[in-house]
Amino acid sequence: TGNPLNHFYEGAFRTAVETQTPIKPILFIDNDDRLNQKSIFSLKPGISRCIFSDEVKVDAYHTKHDIHLLKQQVYNIMEEGLRRYRS
């Protein structure tokens, strides 16, 4: 689709809201260059960069209806980071 990310499942976000644990997004910048999407047996050697984003606080999220908002916030942070570092 051209998008750098697929959709997120909500399990980790539900757990973060229920336990009030911040989320720490981690970006693996070079995954597309190292892992072939067509075959798991065709790996390419090279440098794999990893970027640790700032923690996303969950203090403002308390109900199951807030999970979607948290998920969208983290998705936006990660998508913006991938587009910035891969350009």
Side-chain angles (χ1 to χ4, degrees), residues 17-36:
V17 169
E18 289 173 358
T19 62
Q20 287 296 289
T21 303
I23 293 179
K24 181 79 171 175
I26 302 172
L27 303 172
F28 295 95
I29 305 301
D30 302 304
N31 263 9
D32 281 346
D33 298 331
R34 303 293 152 253
L35 304 171
N36 189 321

Side-chain angles (χ1 to χ4, degrees), residues 28-37 39-49 86:
F28 295 95
I29 305 301
D30 302 304
N31 263 9
D32 281 346
D33 298 331
R34 303 293 152 253
L35 304 171
N36 189 321
Q37 300 299 319
S39 171
I40 63 171
F41 299 109
S42 58
L43 302 174
K44 297 178 185 172
I47 294 173
S48 293
R49 297 173 291 165
R86 288 197 56 124

